[in-house]
Amino acid sequence: MSNLKEILINKNICKSVWFMRQAGRYLPEFKNIRQQNQDFIQLCLDSKLSTEITLQPIKRFDIDSAIIFSDILLVPYALGQSVNFVQDTGPKLEKFDYYKFLNNDKNLFNQKLKPVYDAIRKTREKLNKNKSLIAFIGAPWTLLVYMLDMKLKKNEIDHNKIKLKVEQINLILDNLTKFLIIHIENQINSGANVIQIFDSWAGFIKDEDFENYCINPNLKIVDFCKSKNIPVICFPKGIGKKYKRFNEVVKSHGLNIDYEVDPGWAKANLKNVVIQGGLDPRVLLKPEKEMFDRAKKYLDTFKNSPYVFNLGHGLLPETDPVKVERLIKFYREHQ
Ligand code: 1CP
């Protein structure tokens, strides 16, 4: 059995495989579409093309789940902050306007994101019933990092941008959480079966702010998904040993570990949750034997516990699709 929704709800030992960033980035059939569509946000908002891109890895690898082709930054876009993807330097957002942000209207937000919901509906119609369709959001803290332009070079965060503004920051996070919940509800209503929350910059939160900026917003969103009876996978990347507390408090159905988390430690410390991922995406750039050896470590460790085979971060743009295919085959032969 490979249906992700079932596995997450029943904490089933039976396994499945999908990869973060499986849609887009490294597939030639994606690059072809991307070349003809320079505006990345508009590409995400083209429901016909985003449906096609979502289904590309399913067609190629018959992988177990689909993740909708979209981006976490569509939410700031829909909240009135324009987003520009600059080649090689990453996304650049328009300067944040606090009062404009607080005056956002739900109807306009829904209208701007309607193409995402149309794509989910179209994909669900075309996707085999036994495959889950995963929709996602960026966690409030991770979106804040982009919205306030806190990202510095070399994977660093500029904490000065939020110092002395605690009340404002809390209000922004609360308001963002409210809109993220609307976005999740719309995605569920359109046919998404599973939700994943990407907190890609959680590892940069100071210890004293961890509850407020990571645990609490994730918990609110997980509780909402539970109220809708939809399984949710959290990915608070880079938080190290704090994964244990996160799991005990947030209690999501699934928890994606990053490549810095030792799988043995995860198995011993992360209880009553379906663990997902962990494998370093860089191993797909290594010789096949090394890739299989590294994958085997995860498969052996989680042999008798509920585990979804995936990565410790997204597939890299330079990944050879043949390697992805071999890795899926290796995984299936080891079940
Ligand atoms: O230039 C291109 O061709 C676009 C590359 C690309 C793609 C294919 C971006 C730009 N986003 C996406 C799609 C995307 N983004 C998906 C699609 C579904 C899938 O997984 O296949 C998903 C789930 C995301 C999520 C996302 N976007 C995250 C969280 C995961 C992570 O990587 O940590 C983040 C942080 C973003 C922001 C983003 N989108 C794109 C870029 C270059 C970035 C910035 C990354 C950074 O700041 O390091």
Side-chain angles (χ1 to χ4, degrees), residues 197-253:
I197 307 173
F198 288 95
D199 211 346
S200 305
W201 295 95
F204 291 86
I205 300 173
K206 293 190 169 160
D207 279 349
E208 63 265 32
D209 292 330
F210 192 68
E211 295 289 312
N212 199 16
Y213 294 161
C214 183
I215 300 261
N216 295 343
N218 275 282
L219 177 60
K220 263 189 213 157
I221 297 166
V222 165
D223 281 348
F224 174 76
C225 294
K226 286 181 178 169
S227 77
K228 293 274 159 188
N229 218 5
I230 289 286
V232 54
I233 304 165
C234 286
F235 184 19
K237 183 173 178 285
I239 65 170
K241 298 279 184 284
K242 292 199 286 283
Y243 260 103
K244 188 171 190 304
R245 172 159 174 78
F246 185 98
N247 183 47
E248 285 165 3
V249 180
V250 177
K251 296 189 175 73
S252 51
H253 303 81

Side-chain angles (χ1 to χ4, degrees), residues 24-37:
R25 269 185 145 192
Y26 68 104
L27 287 178
E29 54 270 40
F30 167 74
K31 287 184 187 160
N32 195 17
I33 295 178
R34 176 75 170 110
Q35 215 166 24
Q36 296 161 38
N37 294 272

Side-chain angles (χ1 to χ4, degrees), residues 165-176 212-213:
K165 288 190 204 155
V166 178
E167 271 171 35
Q168 272 197 8
I169 298 298
N170 284 336
L171 206 56
I172 297 170
L173 288 172
D174 274 355
N175 210 40
L176 254 181
N212 199 16
Y213 294 161

